[in-house]
Amino acid sequence: HDQDEAFAVADRVAVLIDGRIARIGTPSDVWRSPASPAVATFVGYAPMLTADQARDLGWPLDRPLDRELVAVGPDGLVPTADSRGVAVPVREQIDRRGYVAIRVTLPHGESAWVKAADRVVEPLLRVALDPARCAVVAAAA
């Protein structure tokens, strides 16, 4: 039940949701393509964003979304100084080894964590999605 250990030593992993296999594959395949919001949440993606919410946070136009959700990975939301993304309120800052974990409130009201090199002094932080650290999953029916 230790996901880090399972992903490190296994050739294949299976994710069970409600006693049924919801996703099976190599650790890399399961991580990159979790297949459903439930599997994505189980392996550590959060929050799940609609196409409109993702676009507001700088999701690239060349990666179109239809009815899918964007599952934000642990490093999927990043501070940005450019025009991508949106300024969001900073709610909490926690010093960690080598970075600061910053809890923000996204425009749709959900909390998310951002890693930064240093604490921020302003009440707002501009953030954007890093598509390479997010997964696209089919919305639950």
Side-chain angles (χ1 to χ4, degrees):
H1 292 99
D2 183 325
Q3 289 184 31
D4 290 330
E5 184 177 333
F7 273 66
V9 301
D11 293 327
R12 292 173 53 83
V13 294
V15 176
L16 300 174
I17 305 287
D18 295 328
R20 296 178 186 260
I21 295 176
R23 180 71 167 96
I24 191 167
T26 67
S28 179
D29 289 342
V30 170
W31 178 253
R32 287 190 189 123
S33 301
S36 73
V39 173
T41 299
F42 182 83
V43 298
Y45 286 90
M48 301 292 154
L49 305 175
T50 66
D52 288 339
Q53 292 166 343
R55 280 189 284 274
D56 289 345
L57 289 165
W59 189 260
L61 296 176
D62 64 343
R63 299 203 43 198
L65 299 167
D66 187 20
R67 288 182 274 255
E68 298 93 355
L69 298 173
V70 172
V72 180
D75 296 324
L77 195 61
V78 296
T80 183
D82 61 29
S83 62
R84 293 178 308 127
V86 65
V88 295
V90 172
R91 300 296 183 206
E92 178 180 10
Q93 299 185 64
I94 302 172
D95 292 306
R96 301 286 189 201
R97 290 183 293 183
Y99 69 95
V100 177
I102 303 171
R103 187 172 60 86
V104 298
T105 301
L106 299 177
H108 62 281
E110 192 162 0
S111 288
W113 289 94
V114 179
K115 288 183 180 178
D118 298 301
R119 285 180 168 262
V120 297
V121 296
E122 299 297 325
L124 298 176
L125 177 65
R126 186 173 261 317
V127 298
L129 290 174
D130 179 348
R133 295 181 174 150
C134 297
V136 175
V137 297

